[in-house]
Amino acid sequence: MGKVTGFLEIERHDRKYAPVADRLKNFQEFVIPLTEKETRDQAARCMNCGIPYCHGTGSVAPGTSGCPVNNQIPDFNDLVYQDNWQEAARNLQSTNNFPEFTGRICPAPCEASCTLNIDDNPVTIKTIECAIVDRAWENGWITPEIAAVKTGKKVAVIGAGPAGLACAQQLARAGHDVHVFEKFAKAGGLLRYGIPDFKMEKGVIDRRVTQMEAEGVTFHYGAHVGSGGTDPRQLAEEYDAIALTGGAEAPRDLPIPGRDLDGIHFAMDFLPQQNRRVGNEPLGAVREILAGGKHVVVIGGGDTGSDCIGTSFRQGALSVTQLEIMPAPPEHENKGLTWPNWPLKMRTSSSQAEGAKREYAVLTQKFSGADGKVAKLHCVQVDDKFKPVAGTEFELDAQLVLLAMGFVHPVHEGLLKTLGVELDPRGNVRANTADYQTSLSKVFSAGDMRRGQSLVVWAIREGRLCARSIDTFLMGSTGLPR
């Protein structure tokens, strides 16, 4: 603990955003980093608690608080305060393969679990994490970690999202010959084709892919396993183990009257198009979905909905309204009941702050329009049991409706049905957390495909632990970290 009285002497000070008028002009990242001195001052606020709930070390029920990848947060805070940035980077990457991803897009459950959050002034852990890894890249401290000994074992990883990338990198560092099969033209999964560039520019992914290729990982792009391309049963014969890390891509629909009108789209039909435009990738044989000059309604109050809002404004939407069926959460949580767990409270994303109107406890009952195109949503307020409240009906104008209500499970057709792996009651791949093994002996699964829709940081955790289980399966023991 570098500065014993730091939390008493230094106020919380976090990164700022570029003005809305400026950032809406492009799709570039708009977070303004702290200076080196400001970052060190913020690291000095860490109390080095007797029980560091920020770790997520199981001091309370697993998964309810703190960091899913068990980042050693007090340690790297102290190292930053002591100006030992290189050792801080080594420490950070010992638990997290991609801190530049989480330092940009993680909601930071570690900060909710910080002891200083008891009075709403947690250490700026996410900002410090991002500063460490960005400094490491700038100084050339991040280099390929090539296995000294090759095992002769071959592993296929299907899906190049954060779970697949973490799994592949760990297995390559253990000496295995790792092949990643990705249906799209580039790696990243929803990091590349879901999260907008203004939240994370894609060069952040590209440099990690370059590192992984130098470590021996082979990427196969445009390889849609089980859907007219590579047969997964053939992979099972050719490879010593398979990791299924394809994510949860089956979207939750809204089957109400008027759903077939033109102008109503899933968020994940809308967002990837803009990411491809920014990345100069061809859109393919699809009709463009654009928000420019339109009144847009986003149905769904989560992160994907916020991404739709920010993208719509940058495309020139006339207005954006976001609907959420849940009631408005409280402005502040009851710390005595929630801390150190993740609290339910009102949060405003950077995209929502760009001018979106938010409506809570709203149910859309039908869509209507003319000439086959959507023009209005017919809505009603609901009570705490989601039942319509008589007399609260209203209409919203909309020429574009984006359904951002989450994902129900992975896509079953193709890969999963062809392989014949068992599914759990929610429709996810059945694989336990002890060894991540599916109902097929040499087939493993991790990330959203196994646990359901979740956070990037959980995908990284699952990919790392899945790799550890695969290494144990192949070699009888493992040196990969728990």
Side-chain angles (χ1 to χ4, degrees):
M1 187 174 183
K3 189 169 180 61
V4 178
T5 57
F7 70 98
L8 296 172
E9 299 172 9
I10 302 170
E11 295 295 323
R12 175 182 165 93
H13 176 58
D14 208 351
R15 295 175 287 187
K16 303 296 184 185
Y17 298 149
V20 172
D22 293 339
R23 68 190 198 230
L24 290 184
K25 295 176 182 177
N26 56 62
F27 282 84
Q28 298 168 358
E29 291 182 16
F30 53 81
V31 177
I32 302 171
L34 299 182
T35 66
E36 178 182 341
K37 180 183 184 304
E38 288 171 332
T39 305
R40 290 179 63 191
D41 284 347
Q42 292 305 303
R45 298 184 67 243
C46 182
M47 298 171 68
N48 197 14
C49 308
I51 300 178
Y53 290 99
C54 59
H55 273 338
T57 52
S59 49
V60 292
T64 60
S65 73
C67 179
V69 294
N70 305 137
N71 281 341
Q72 299 168 39
I73 293 166
D75 300 69
F76 69 62
N77 280 334
D78 182 56
L79 289 165
V80 167
Y81 173 69
Q82 301 292 350
D83 202 26
N84 193 346
W85 291 84
Q86 188 167 3
E87 180 60 19
R90 186 208 62 77
N91 181 292
L92 178 57
Q93 291 182 102
S94 71
T95 56
N96 185 351
N97 294 67
F98 314 118
E100 63 271 41
F101 301 169
T102 51
R104 285 168 167 80
I105 58 177
C106 184
C110 53
E111 293 190 21
S113 295
C114 177
T115 301
L116 289 176
N117 191 42
I118 292 174
D119 66 353
D120 292 315
N121 285 295
V123 175
T124 56
I125 301 167
K126 177 178 172 180
T127 291
I128 295 167
E129 174 182 0
C130 196
I132 293 169
V133 68
D134 284 354
R135 191 182 181 97
W137 279 109
E138 290 166 6
N139 286 277
W141 299 334
I142 298 176
T143 57
E145 299 178 26
I146 302 170
V149 179
K150 300 296 184 181
T151 65
K153 303 290 186 180
K154 290 180 64 177
V155 182
V157 177
I158 303 175
L165 292 176
C167 183
Q169 185 166 57
Q170 292 295 96
L171 288 169
R173 291 174 176 178
H176 304 302
D177 181 14
V178 182
H179 291 253
V180 178
F181 294 82
E182 169 55 49
K183 66 181 178 180
F184 292 129
K186 296 181 181 180
L190 291 187
L191 289 171
R192 185 179 296 276
Y193 295 106
I195 292 170
D197 288 71
F198 57 78
K199 288 175 67 174
M200 188 177 77
E201 296 176 13
K202 305 317 174 205
V204 173
I205 304 171
D206 295 336
R207 63 189 179 189
R208 278 295 180 184
V209 171
T210 300
Q211 180 197 35
M212 291 174 64
E213 289 173 336
E215 292 171 346
V217 177
T218 303
F219 288 88
H220 303 268
Y221 297 117
H224 199 171
V225 179
S227 297
T230 307
D231 189 328
R233 294 168 295 192
Q234 182 181 347
L235 292 182
E237 293 177 3
E238 295 179 0
Y239 288 81
D240 298 297
I242 294 176
L244 306 178
T245 58
E249 293 189 315
R252 182 172 285 106
D253 206 346
L254 187 60
I256 59 175
R259 171 64 179 88
D260 58 342
L261 290 169
D262 187 25
I264 304 171
H265 304 276
F266 288 117
M268 290 312 300
D269 291 330
F270 171 67
L271 293 172
Q273 286 192 7
Q274 185 57 48
N275 287 3
R276 288 190 171 93
R277 290 186 195 99
V278 176
N280 296 313
E281 282 189 52
L283 297 185
V286 297
R287 189 174 58 169
E288 287 196 86
I289 307 169
L290 292 165
K294 298 175 182 176
H295 295 289
V296 180
V297 174
V298 178
I299 301 179
D303 290 338
T304 303
S306 286
D307 294 342
C308 289
I309 292 170
T311 300
S312 296
F313 279 133
R314 283 161 180 77
Q315 289 183 357
L318 296 177
S319 69
V320 182
T321 303
Q322 185 177 32
L323 305 182
E324 170 60 66
I325 195 170
M326 300 293 290
E331 287 291 332
H332 301 284
E333 73 271 31
N334 184 330
K335 300 287 187 183
L337 294 177
T338 61
W339 183 86
N341 298 332
W342 181 254
L344 176 65
K345 68 175 183 177
M346 182 66 75
R347 292 180 171 86
T348 299
S349 71
S350 59
S351 292
Q352 290 167 335
E354 289 168 357
K357 181 181 180 182
R358 289 191 279 177
E359 299 281 358
Y360 290 92
V362 170
L363 173 69
T364 304
Q365 295 181 304
K366 70 174 182 178
F367 304 107
S368 66
D371 301 322
K373 297 180 179 179
V374 68
K376 290 185 181 294
L377 281 73
H378 300 264
C379 307
V380 64
Q381 295 288 146
V382 296
D383 60 20
D384 57 3
K385 296 183 180 178
F386 309 115
K387 300 297 183 183
V389 177
T392 64
E393 296 82 1
F394 65 97
E395 297 179 357
L396 288 172
D397 292 331
Q399 294 82 50
L400 176 62
V401 179
L402 300 172
L403 305 180
M405 301 177 293
F407 304 89
V408 290
H409 50 61
V411 174
H412 295 160
E413 299 300 325
L415 170 63
L416 300 184
K417 283 193 174 180
T418 303
L419 266 181
V421 292
E422 287 184 11
L423 305 176
D424 68 17
R426 296 186 299 155
N428 301 318
V429 174
R430 185 187 295 277
N432 62 56
T433 53
D435 59 13
Y436 292 81
Q437 195 163 11
T438 70
S439 56
L440 305 178
S441 64
K442 62 193 293 187
V443 180
F444 298 74
S445 186
D448 289 3
M449 184 168 267
R450 187 198 76 86
R451 67 178 286 116
Q453 179 186 349
S454 191
L455 304 176
V456 168
V457 68
W458 272 104
I460 295 172
R461 171 198 172 102
E462 294 234 333
R464 287 171 62 89
L465 294 181
C466 182
R468 191 174 189 274
S469 294
I470 292 173
D471 192 34
T472 302
F473 170 79
L474 295 175
M475 308 303 294
S477 62
T478 182
L480 292 175
R482 174 71 177 84

